[in-house]
Amino acid sequence: MQKSTCSTPSRPTVDLLDSPLPRLLAAYEVELVDSSITERGFFGAFVVLRDGSRVLSMPVGRSEFERDTAARMLLAEGLGLTAPPVPAPLEVAVL
């Protein structure tokens, strides 16, 4: 399993799989917001806004494990990081 890291002169190196989620979000300058979507099959969305800012919108009321795992899968896809494949039957769609 290959791990992804990000390193810039102004930020520490972070690991997609091992870094605490708040540190990972800060390193990639991604804002975490609560989603109003409550559909059970919706795990979240990674959005790059017109001004270049990044938002990770996640549904509330999920277990910490589910929320953390979905966030990392969406970050990997949205940021183009190398990560383990998304387990079936989950799917990450790019719109």
Side-chain angles (χ1 to χ4, degrees):
M1 184 181 304
Q2 185 175 10
K3 296 182 180 181
S4 298
T5 60
C6 173
S7 179
T8 64
S10 62
R11 287 185 230 145
T13 300
V14 292
D15 184 275
L16 176 66
L17 301 178
D18 294 328
S19 294
L21 187 57
R23 183 170 178 222
L24 188 61
L25 293 169
Y28 286 105
E29 298 177 345
V30 177
E31 178 184 6
L32 179 62
V33 299
D34 291 336
S35 173
S36 61
I37 300 173
T38 58
E39 189 176 309
R40 185 69 191 143
F42 176 74
F43 290 91
F46 177 85
V47 180
V48 178
L49 302 175
R50 288 184 182 173
D51 65 2
S53 61
R54 300 167 174 154
V55 174
L56 182 60
S57 177
M58 304 287 298
V60 295
R62 304 290 173 89
S63 72
E64 184 178 340
F65 175 78
E66 184 176 302
R67 189 173 169 102
D68 185 84
T69 302
R72 291 170 195 276
M73 287 188 303
L74 291 167
L75 287 170
E77 183 67 31
L79 296 168
L81 304 174
T82 302
V86 176
L90 297 178
E91 180 180 317
V92 176
V94 178
L95 305 174

